């Protein structure tokens, strides 16, 4: 087969395929118009029935709507009446609210004034409390001082009673001692410094200083001796002289022999006395 034959063969095949495709499209688009008309008749009958039903429902709904509309109108009239009533009540409430606000402002002013007064009273109360506390403290201190002074007074009264009793005893003792002093030739009014105690002792040592004989005796300030007192020196029944006390210690004293009274040699272990008994 030559080239031309092959080309014709291909063309014939392509044309066959094209014719087959056209045939299939014609068959696919072919309709049965009778069946379509019958179907449409059924749809029309169904639509009429549905339309009748919808018309019936519309009538029913329209009746209900009219009834509801009438009821709504009645409710609207009722609500209008209630609105008017509420407006009247609202006006009355507003008037009452204005009055209450005025009262509130007045009450607020009164509360503020009361609060200011309370603060002032609180400050005054605090001041009075501080003053009362100070007065209580002063009173307590005064009470404590009074108690202390009362105790001191009682103690002083006790001491006074004791001293009064002691004074009576001292006066009695003084009277007794004055009588004893007078019976012994002493003046009770003589100063104590002028009274020479009656003591006896022994010369424990002698020495010389600047031509003067000094003696140390075994009695001192504990026995009542003082510088300026004099002691008499003797040995047994023999009087030897007199010495003036220069220094004293608790248990001894140092004296200077007065030459104009000396009547013998004064030595250790001689006796001394502030006063001698005659006879």
């Amino acid at each position: 087969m030559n080239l031309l034959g092959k080309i014709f063969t291909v063309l014939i095949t392509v044309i066959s395929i094209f014719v087959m495709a056209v045939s299939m499209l014609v068959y696919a688009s072919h309709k049965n118009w009778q069946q379509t008309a019958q179907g449409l008749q059924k749809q029309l009958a169904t639509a009429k029935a549905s339309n009748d039903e919808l018309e019936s429902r519309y009538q029913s709904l329209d009746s209900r709507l009219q009834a509801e509309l009438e009821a709504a109108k009645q409710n609207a009239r009722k609500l209008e009446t209630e609105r008017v009533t509420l407006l009247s009540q609202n006006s009355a409430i507003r008037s009452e609210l204005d009055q209450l606000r005025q009262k509130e402002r007045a009450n607020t002013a009164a509360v503020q004034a009361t609060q200011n007064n309370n603060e002032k009273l609180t400050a005054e109360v605090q001041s009075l409390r501080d003053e009362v506390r100070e007065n209580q403290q002063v009173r307590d201190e005064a009470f404590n001082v009074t108690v202390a002074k009362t105790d001191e007074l009682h103690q002083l009264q006790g001491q006074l009673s004791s001293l009064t009793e002691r004074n009576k005893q001292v006066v009695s003792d003084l009277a007794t001692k004055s009588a004893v002093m007078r019976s012994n030739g002493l003046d009770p009014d003589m100063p104590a410094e002028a009274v020479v105690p009656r003591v006896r002792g022994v010369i424990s040592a002698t020495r010389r200083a600047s031509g003067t004989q000094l003696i140390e005796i075994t009695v001192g300030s504990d026995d009542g001796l003082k510088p300026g007192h004099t002691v008499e020196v003797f040995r047994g029944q023999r009087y030897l002289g007199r010495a003036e006390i220069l220094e004293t210690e608790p248990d001894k004293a140092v004296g200077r022999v007065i030459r104009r009274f000396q009547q013998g040699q004064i030595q250790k272990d001689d006796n001394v006395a502030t006063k001698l008994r005659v006879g």
Side-chain angles (χ1 to χ4, degrees):
M1 183 179 295
N2 54 16
L3 181 58
L4 185 59
K6 292 179 179 181
I7 292 171
F8 280 117
T9 303
V10 173
L11 288 173
I12 292 170
T13 302
V14 172
I15 292 170
S16 298
I17 293 172
F18 177 74
V19 172
M20 183 180 64
V22 172
S23 299
M24 290 178 66
L25 288 173
V26 171
Y27 180 78
S29 62
H30 179 70
K31 293 183 179 180
N32 190 347
W33 295 108
Q34 187 178 1
Q35 291 180 355
T36 301
Q38 291 177 357
L40 291 174
Q41 288 292 333
K42 289 180 179 180
Q43 291 179 3
L44 180 60
T46 302
K48 286 182 177 181
S50 178
N51 185 38
D52 293 338
E53 183 179 358
L54 291 174
E55 184 69 22
S56 176
R57 290 179 62 186
Y58 169 77
Q59 294 296 330
S60 176
L61 291 173
D62 185 62
S63 299
R64 290 176 60 186
L65 179 61
Q66 293 297 326
E68 291 178 358
L69 182 61
E70 184 63 24
K73 289 179 179 180
Q74 292 179 359
N75 288 331
R77 288 191 292 270
K78 181 179 180 181
L79 291 174
E80 180 65 19
T81 303
E82 292 179 355
R83 186 182 71 82
V84 173
T85 303
L86 290 175
L87 286 174
S88 177
Q89 292 178 355
N90 186 30
S91 178
I93 291 173
R94 285 179 179 275
S95 177
E96 185 177 358
L97 180 61
D98 292 337
Q99 294 178 1
L100 291 175
R101 285 176 178 174
Q102 291 178 358
K103 289 182 179 179
E104 182 183 4
R105 286 193 292 270
N107 291 334
T108 302
V111 168
Q112 184 64 36
T114 303
Q115 185 175 359
N116 295 334
N117 191 29
N118 288 338
E119 292 177 355
K120 182 179 179 181
L121 291 176
T122 301
E124 292 179 357
V125 168
Q126 185 63 37
S127 176
L128 290 174
R129 286 179 177 175
D130 294 338
E131 185 177 354
V132 168
R133 190 180 299 110
E134 293 177 358
N135 291 332
Q136 288 178 346
Q137 184 176 1
V138 172
R139 184 198 62 186
D140 293 340
E141 292 177 356
F143 178 76
N144 293 332
V145 170
T146 302
V147 171
K149 293 300 182 181
T150 302
D151 293 339
E152 184 178 355
L153 177 62
H154 291 164
Q155 293 177 1
L156 291 175
Q157 287 178 346
Q159 292 178 2
L160 178 61
S161 299
S162 177
L163 290 175
T164 302
E165 189 65 28
R166 177 63 178 166
N167 183 53
K168 292 179 180 179
Q169 183 178 358
V170 168
V171 170
S172 177
D173 293 343
L174 179 61
T176 302
K177 291 180 180 179
S178 296
V180 171
M181 290 178 68
R182 288 190 181 92
S183 65
N184 286 275
L186 296 174
D187 185 3
D189 296 329
M190 183 183 298
E193 293 79 4
V195 178
V196 179
R198 290 181 178 272
V199 295
R200 292 176 65 91
V202 178
I203 297 176
S204 59
T206 65
R207 67 177 185 274
R208 287 191 172 273
S210 301
T212 302
Q213 185 178 9
L214 301 177
I215 60 174
E216 183 177 315
I217 60 179
T218 59
V219 291
S221 59
D222 286 348
D223 301 298
L225 282 181
K226 295 180 180 179
H229 288 172
T230 58
V231 293
E232 310 297 332
V233 184
F234 62 95
R235 187 182 305 129
Q237 297 295 324
R238 183 183 176 185
Y239 180 76
L240 298 177
R242 179 178 295 176
E244 181 184 2
I245 302 300
L246 302 177
E247 298 178 1
T248 60
E249 294 185 14
D251 56 352
K252 62 183 179 179
V254 176
R256 175 178 60 83
V257 177
I258 302 175
R259 294 186 64 181
R260 64 189 180 91
F261 291 102
Q262 189 172 356
Q263 298 181 12
Q265 183 65 32
I266 297 175
Q267 59 189 13
K268 182 180 179 182
D269 295 329
D270 285 342
N271 297 314
V272 295
T274 53
K275 292 184 179 181
L276 295 177
R277 289 185 180 180
V278 180

